[in-house]
């Protein structure tokens, strides 16, 4: 999945969030919200190893996501724009006074569905290219997240590898079963060939020994 985590917040108050995999992205995201105060509109990205936190703030509402660096910027920011529009359209002015996680039970399902769509559906990128809505993404500033958070030590982004390991294990098991099946059929074919060869040799030898003799006397 290209987009692994996302949240919607008013200032530093998280209204809804969803994570597609066990990770400490939520902790990092909250630090980003605290370090980028104010209500000025902004599009900015913060890099950390092979993960990038993309932030879109519009009219005081911040939508943030964490994605693989291979996702680029167009798709994550198209995702953020989509989430912003859906959130405002759904809750309107209630966003201004909502309590922390006030929309999480309902809207986290929307976050999950749209994360899946923008991560895996090729139509997501085609649609955004046709619309041309994300031209402003070209000016997005990429900064290192450690610099933004004013940390002297390296901030480690912990992403659970269990799902990847399980996938690799299943793939290995399938390959093992396929290999065993191939070897078994190869042995069966070899056995059949050997039996046929033995029969041919026996026939040739018997024909040579019994040359000139009748079959009953040869037997």
């Amino acid at each position: 999945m290209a987009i692994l985590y996302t949240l919607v917040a008013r200032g530093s108050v998280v209204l809804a969030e969803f994570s597609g995999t066990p990770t400490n992205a939520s902790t990092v995201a909250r630090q980003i919200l605290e370090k980028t105060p104010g209500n000025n509109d902004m599009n900015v990205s913060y890099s950390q190893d092979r993960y990038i936190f993309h932030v879109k703030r519009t009219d005081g509402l911040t939508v943030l996501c964490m994605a693989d660096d291979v996702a680029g910027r167009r798709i994550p920011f198209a995702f953020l724009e989509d989430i912003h529009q859906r959130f405002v359209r759904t809750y309107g002015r209630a966003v201004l006074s909502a309590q922390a996680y006030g929309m999480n039970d309902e809207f986290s399902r929307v976050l999950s569905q749209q994360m899946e769509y923008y991560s895996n559906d090729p139509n997501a990128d085609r649609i955004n290219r046709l619309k041309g809505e994300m031209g402003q993404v070209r000016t997005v500033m990429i900064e290192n997240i450690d610099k933004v958070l004013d940390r002297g030590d390296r901030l480690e982004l912990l992403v659970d590898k269990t799902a990847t390991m399980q996938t690799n294990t299943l793939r290995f098991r399938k390959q093992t079963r396929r290999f065993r099946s191939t070897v078994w059929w190869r042995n069966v074919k070899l056995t059949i060939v050997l039996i046929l060869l033995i029969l041919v040799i026996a026939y040739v030898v018997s024909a040579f020994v019994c040359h000139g003799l009748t079959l009953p006397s040869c037997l």
Side-chain angles (χ1 to χ4, degrees), residues 190-216:
L190 181 60
T191 301
I192 293 174
V193 170
L194 290 175
I195 291 174
L196 292 175
L197 183 60
I198 291 173
L199 291 176
V200 171
I201 293 174
Y203 174 79
V204 172
V205 171
S206 62
F208 177 77
V209 172
C210 300
H211 181 68
L213 301 176
T214 63
L215 182 57

Side-chain angles (χ1 to χ4, degrees), residues 37 43 54 57 60 70 83 88 98 103 112 119-120 148 161 196 202 207:
N43 291 326
H54 303 279
R57 180 189 291 159
V70 296
I83 294 300
V88 172
M103 290 82 171
S112 174
S119 295
N120 300 315
V148 174
K161 304 298 183 182
L196 292 175

Side-chain angles (χ1 to χ4, degrees), residues 121-188:
D121 196 323
N123 290 322
D125 196 25
R126 295 194 191 103
I127 291 174
N128 290 310
R129 285 183 177 178
L130 292 175
K131 288 182 177 180
E133 294 177 345
M134 302 311 298
Q136 71 272 24
V137 174
R138 298 171 187 164
T139 63
V140 171
M141 177 175 54
I142 301 294
E143 294 187 6
N144 185 276
I145 198 169
D146 291 327
K147 182 189 301 182
V148 174
L149 300 182
D150 296 327
R151 292 281 299 275
D153 55 328
R154 182 181 179 81
L155 179 64
E156 294 294 340
L157 183 61
L158 305 177
V159 179
D160 187 15
K161 304 298 183 182
T162 303
T164 302
M165 293 176 62
Q166 290 177 344
T167 301
N168 292 337
T169 299
L170 291 175
R171 185 182 298 110
F172 177 75
R173 289 178 178 175
K174 290 181 180 179
Q175 291 175 346
T176 301
R177 286 196 296 267
R178 190 179 301 112
F179 176 75
R180 289 177 178 174
S181 177
T182 301
V183 171
W184 185 83
W185 277 110
R186 186 178 300 168
N187 290 337
V188 169

